[in-house]
Structure formats: structure tokens, C-alpha cells
Amino acid sequence: MYGWLWGHLPGPLVVRLLTALLLVAAVVAVLFLWVFPLAAPLVPFNDNTVE
Amino acid sequence: MSADLRAVEVSRGERVRAVVRGVGEVLITAGLVLLLFVAWQLWWTDVEANRAQAAITDDLHELWGDEARKPRPAPTAEPAEPPPPPPDYGPPPEVPDPESGSAFGIVHVPRFGADFQPRPIVEGTDLALLEDGVGHYEKTALPGQVGNVALAGHRVTYGRPFNLIAELVPGDAVVLETADAWFTYRMRSSTIVTPERVDVVAPVPEQPGAVPTERLLTLTACHPMYSARERFIVYSVFESWQPKSAGEPASLALPASALPAPDGSTSSTTGE
């Protein structure tokens, strides 16, 4: 998966490295901004109300 | 013939290796995502919520026309004189019914220390609302009213307003600030209950259906930390109120025992 991705990144090594870093940053951003907030109600350490 | 067979063997071996490598990469990725989730939950939600809650508190002060607060003077190490009895301003004023989801007050807890950022009180206790501060259980009393003001707050994550809730000792002040008034409650007791015990936020806690005569405040938070197994409950009793025009109440002062004491020998400084 990662090998295939690396093989398909264009340009010289420096450009590939920067592109790869950008991709990682994008994935982390998507996780932090959208995925994790959606998952948070499903984990048990945020409940503090009686109901 | 045998060369062909070997070629088939080799390509099959490569395919198997590729599949194993792919599965390994997926598993490693899943592990990294889980680690990232923990980092997000334990660190990033605090960063975001602290910022958001500070902004809401600032907005409230602006809305209420409060003058910029002077930073409270650093407490001295000497034990404080017993504070004078709070002046009596008559029965507490009515706080207007807040709209669901809106911030209508600020909670101050001197015991939580000088670093504690006063937290907005929002109407409602949905998980999403608790990112904006502590949640006021809808249909419970409003500050100063006869009955029970019930507030829920995070003990970990999302700014963790009630992180130090277990440090409260009887007599500690919990001060609610609204547009026009300060309401001081004094901690009376704490308890640990299971999550379905809604009677702790009843007008008379633990006596559902009873007619309230006291003005009470109940705080709820998770217990133990990082768990949803139980709830930590703190009961407080109304002591006094004062209008904003009278300035900050004396109850906002840091408790003397909250000061760092050299090996717990605080009382010896006044002794002979």
C-alpha cells in the first residue's frame, strides 16, 4: 500500500517527501476535524451526566 | 516445464508476500490511528475547548458590560483572616430562563486554584454542548432559586472544567456569576453514584418528588476518571448573593489551604 503510493508519487525525492508529508497532514486533519469528533460519543470516558 | 512451474511458484510466493505486507500495513495504520485518537481526545479537545470556552466567557463579560477584570492579587502565604459575613441584599433575583444551548452564566471554583479558567454555563447537557463549558440540566433550578441548580462538567477532555472536583472539601465556595449577580454556594458533601441516579439532580437531591425549601447546587462529573462507570456528585448549599454593582464577592478568594504548604504544616505558622 505505502510502497505502491510511494512508487506513484511524481518528481524527485525531495518533492516526493514533501508530497508524502502533505498527504499525512491532510489525513491527520480529516481525522481530527471530522472523524474523531464523530467517534467520540462512542467511547466511554466522556459521560458525566446522570440520565 | 520445470522452469514454468518454478515461475508459477515464484509469482505465487510474491502474491502471498504482497497480501501479508498489505495486511501488516493496514494493521500498523489502524494502530497509528488509534494512537492519534487518544492524542486527539486527551490533548486536542482540551486545546480547542479551552479556547472556545475562554471566547464564550469573554463574550459574556462583553454582553453583560463587565469591566475588564483585574487579575486577582497573588495570595499570600499567611492564613487568611476569617472573611466578614457577606452583606445581605435580600432575596436573590430571578435569573431569566436561558434559551437551550445558550451560555447564561459563569462558574468560578476558588479551590481549583488560580490557574482555573472560569467556565461558561450553557443550558442543556448534550455532549456537544459540554464542549462549550459546563451544562445546566434543563428544568432544574436557576442560580439563586429555591430548588437544585444542577451542572454537569467534564472531568477529563474538552477543557475538563471539573477535573479537580474530587479536591473540593466542605465549606469550599462554588460561585455562579450571571448577568447581574454573583451567587455563592458552599460545598456540603460529595457522593459517588451510578449513572442512572437522576435523583441526585432532583429539587431535593436523593428525594425525588419532595418539595424543596433549600437553595442547592449539584455538580456531576464522571468517575473514576476516564470511565463512565459512575458519577462523582458534589452537593452545595446557597450562602449569599450580591449584585454585580457591589463588585466581586469575597468568596472568590483562594482558600488558604489551597496554597502550597511545606509538608502540611500550615497551622504551625500561627502557633506559639
Side-chain angles (χ1 to χ4, degrees):
Chain A
M1 178 168 66
Y2 294 116
W4 177 87
L5 212 57
W6 183 252
H8 283 72
L9 287 178
L13 182 66
V14 183
V15 177
R16 283 186 186 197
L17 266 176
L18 288 177
T19 318
L21 278 178
L22 262 180
L23 281 175
V24 169
V27 169
V28 170
V30 168
L31 288 174
F32 267 44
L33 295 178
W34 291 287
V35 180
F36 291 162
L38 286 176
L42 307 176
V43 299
F45 44 82
N46 293 314
D47 298 332
N48 43 42
T49 58
V50 287
E51 54 197 331
Chain B
M1 185 72 177
S2 70
D4 281 356
L5 254 182
R6 212 174 301 128
V8 169
E9 288 278 299
V10 166
S11 74
R12 186 186 295 154
E14 262 171 15
R15 227 174 316 145
V16 170
R17 207 174 300 134
V19 168
V20 169
R21 188 191 296 129
V23 170
E25 283 177 346
V26 166
L27 290 179
I28 290 171
T29 307
L32 286 176
V33 168
L34 283 180
L35 276 179
L36 264 182
F37 179 77
V38 172
W40 173 82
Q41 183 79 83
L42 295 185
W43 165 70
W44 187 250
T45 61
D46 279 345
V47 173
E48 274 194 322
N50 280 332
R51 199 161 42 200
Q53 293 175 18
I56 293 171
T57 316
D58 288 348
D59 287 350
L60 283 175
H61 285 313
E62 198 170 317
L63 183 73
W64 297 341
D66 294 334
E67 286 166 31
R69 292 272 156 71
K70 287 185 233 74
R72 217 157 284 134
T76 50
E78 285 91 57
E81 294 288 306
D88 189 4
Y89 290 95
E94 290 272 308
V95 175
D97 272 335
E99 260 176 61
S100 185
S102 70
F104 68 95
I106 298 172
V107 60
H108 303 253
V109 190
R111 168 66 64 190
F112 294 171
D115 293 338
F116 177 68
Q117 172 189 327
R119 301 293 172 162
I121 306 170
V122 296
E123 179 69 355
T125 50
D126 287 350
L127 193 59
L129 284 177
L130 292 184
E131 294 176 27
D132 293 341
V134 304
H136 174 247
Y137 286 82
E138 294 189 45
K139 303 195 183 86
T140 66
L142 287 163
Q145 285 181 347
V146 171
N148 189 7
V149 186
L151 303 177
H154 283 292
R155 200 166 165 197
V156 291
T157 68
Y158 301 101
R160 43 180 140 162
F162 289 168
N163 181 246
L164 298 176
I165 191 169
E167 309 283 314
L168 286 168
V169 295
D172 277 351
V174 180
V175 182
L176 308 184
E177 177 185 1
T178 63
D180 306 310
W182 299 92
F183 302 89
T184 296
Y185 291 79
R186 293 286 173 182
M187 196 271 202
R188 179 155 73 184
S189 61
S190 64
T191 183
I192 291 163
V193 301
T194 48
E196 74 281 356
R197 284 282 303 279
V198 288
D199 57 302
V200 299
V201 302
V204 181
E206 304 181 19
Q207 296 172 40
V211 178
T213 55
E214 282 185 301
R215 303 169 202 272
L216 302 174
L217 169 71
T218 296
L219 311 179
T220 73
C222 63
H223 185 83
M225 286 205 212
Y226 307 103
S227 162
R229 198 171 67 223
E230 291 165 319
R231 299 291 180 268
F232 198 94
I233 311 294
V234 165
Y235 298 126
S236 307
V237 190
F238 178 80
E239 177 196 65
S240 62
W241 77 280
Q242 67 185 54
K244 282 290 197 54
S245 54
E248 294 187 7
S251 53
L252 281 182
L254 291 182
S257 52
L259 300 171
D263 48 82
S265 55
T266 42
S267 56
S268 64
T269 51
T270 50
E272 327 287 84

